[in-house]
Amino acid sequence: MARIKEKTQINKLNSNNYRYERKFNLDLMDLKKAENHIRQNSKMFKEIFHKRIVNNIYMDTHDLSYYHQNLIGNSFRRKVRIRWYGECDNLISSPTLEIKIKNGLLGKKLIFPLNPLSFDFKRSNEKIIQIISKSNIPLIVKNDLKNLVPTINNKYERKYFLSSDKKYRITLDSDQKFYRMRPINKFLNFSYFDKKNVILELKYNKRYENNADSITNQFPFRLTKNSKYVFGIKKLFN
């Protein structure tokens, strides 16, 4: 009962920040062609920020329950990861812990800063868990993550676009790389590179749902269920 109560309390954090995330797998579409479809949309999307490398270490239970919940399509599910940006240097100065909570078609993300992480390709999974335990994040979150272990690491290039009314955001991910993680001497082993597929994601607050179809109907690609974590697990563990 205590564990259920903790999870309920965590799920209520930032309960008003739910948003929609519509994902499209562009298969073998050229990245430049995908960008053209975004810029030609009537919502007048423009590139913001700058292209950067996104890195993730995904956490799951020993029996991969988060992965299986996604596969069977549970309406309520979670995803836990450590994220940072840029090349994988020896010292990652600003990693964050992210808990993504999915409730039907809506989702939200809880973000907690972590202590610097030494990424030297020899650090064991136990050391990564120690980073979480020693960081200044809520105790209820630490307790909830005690039974999780690192499973895979992935990285990809991401570009960002924003509509002219600033209500809708698009991310475009390409050049994906996946690495399997095990609690043995080598930090990373067994990899899979996907340099062909492009993933487009449309993100917006739930109050803007009524006009979202006017954006997606202009795209020549189909809405799909796409999870980088599920994709990586299938490629690395099968």
Side-chain angles (χ1 to χ4, degrees):
M1 290 297 293
R3 294 283 297 166
I4 295 176
K5 184 177 181 180
E6 283 184 359
K7 288 188 176 183
T8 301
Q9 290 174 327
I10 291 174
N11 295 337
K12 288 182 178 179
L13 292 174
N14 299 332
S15 59
N16 294 325
N17 292 339
Y18 275 102
R19 66 179 184 180
Y20 283 97
E21 297 180 349
R22 294 192 181 189
K23 297 183 180 182
F24 303 82
N25 191 328
L26 279 53
D27 295 322
L28 303 180
M29 180 177 288
D30 177 78
L31 187 61
K32 288 295 183 182
K33 188 174 181 180
E35 290 184 37
N36 287 337
H37 285 299
I38 295 173
R39 299 179 192 277
Q40 293 169 5
N41 194 280
S42 61
K43 279 293 184 180
M44 302 175 64
F45 285 91
K46 291 186 178 180
E47 189 170 359
I48 58 171
F49 200 56
H50 59 271
K51 181 176 71 173
R52 59 183 179 178
I53 297 174
V54 182
N55 304 270
N56 301 293
I57 294 175
Y58 288 96
M59 312 281 291
D60 206 334
T61 61
H62 288 277
D63 59 355
L64 301 179
S65 62
Y66 290 173
Y67 163 75
H68 291 293
Q69 287 172 13
N70 193 301
L71 272 188
I72 65 178
N74 280 8
S75 59
F76 191 89
R77 57 187 184 272
R78 298 197 305 166
K79 186 184 297 178
V80 178
R81 67 193 177 201
I82 296 173
R83 169 168 288 189
W84 69 95
Y85 299 96
E87 291 294 344
C88 191
D89 298 323
N90 288 337
L91 181 65
I92 302 163
S93 59
S94 302
T96 57
L97 172 70
E98 297 187 353
I99 302 176
K100 294 195 71 175
I101 299 173
K102 197 80 170 179
N103 190 358
L105 297 177
L106 288 168
K108 68 177 178 179
K109 184 163 62 175
L110 309 178
I111 302 176
F112 306 95
L114 294 176
N115 293 340
L117 171 64
S118 178
F119 200 87
D120 58 8
F121 295 97
K122 294 180 181 180
R123 183 171 293 273
S124 68
N125 288 349
E126 287 76 13
K127 293 292 181 65
I128 296 176
I129 296 172
Q130 288 177 14
I131 293 291
I132 295 176
S133 65
K134 293 180 180 180
S135 296
N136 185 25
I137 59 179
L139 180 60
I140 189 175
V141 175
K142 292 181 181 180
N143 290 336
D144 187 59
L145 303 183
K146 280 183 177 179
N147 295 322
L148 303 186
V149 294
T151 53
I152 66 171
N153 164 257
N154 84 323
K155 62 185 298 185
Y156 47 88
E157 292 187 354
R158 168 167 284 186
K159 305 191 79 169
Y160 303 80
F161 301 85
L162 185 67
S163 63
S164 59
D165 59 9
K166 296 181 171 52
K167 295 179 180 179
Y168 302 90
R169 187 163 65 96
I170 286 178
T171 56
L172 202 58
D173 299 337
S174 60
D175 195 18
Q176 299 184 78
K177 299 179 178 66
F178 298 86
Y179 306 88
R180 181 170 176 172
M181 300 178 63
R182 291 178 176 175
I184 56 178
N185 291 333
K186 290 186 178 180
F187 185 68
L188 300 179
N189 56 41
F190 197 76
S191 59
Y192 177 83
F193 297 167
D194 182 6
K195 295 180 177 294
K196 296 181 179 180
N197 290 322
V198 176
I199 306 298
L200 182 150
E201 191 167 347
L202 175 65
K203 308 173 184 182
Y204 54 93
N205 189 283
K206 59 183 180 180
R207 63 179 178 272
Y208 303 135
E209 165 66 1
N210 289 339
N211 294 321
D213 285 344
S214 65
I215 298 174
T216 58
N217 288 340
Q218 297 177 55
F219 290 149
F221 22 82
R222 295 181 179 179
L223 181 70
T224 184
K225 179 181 178 182
N226 186 286
S227 167
K228 296 184 181 69
Y229 178 56
V230 169
F231 180 82
I233 289 290
K234 286 182 176 180
K235 291 297 182 181
L236 299 180
F237 283 77
N238 284 349

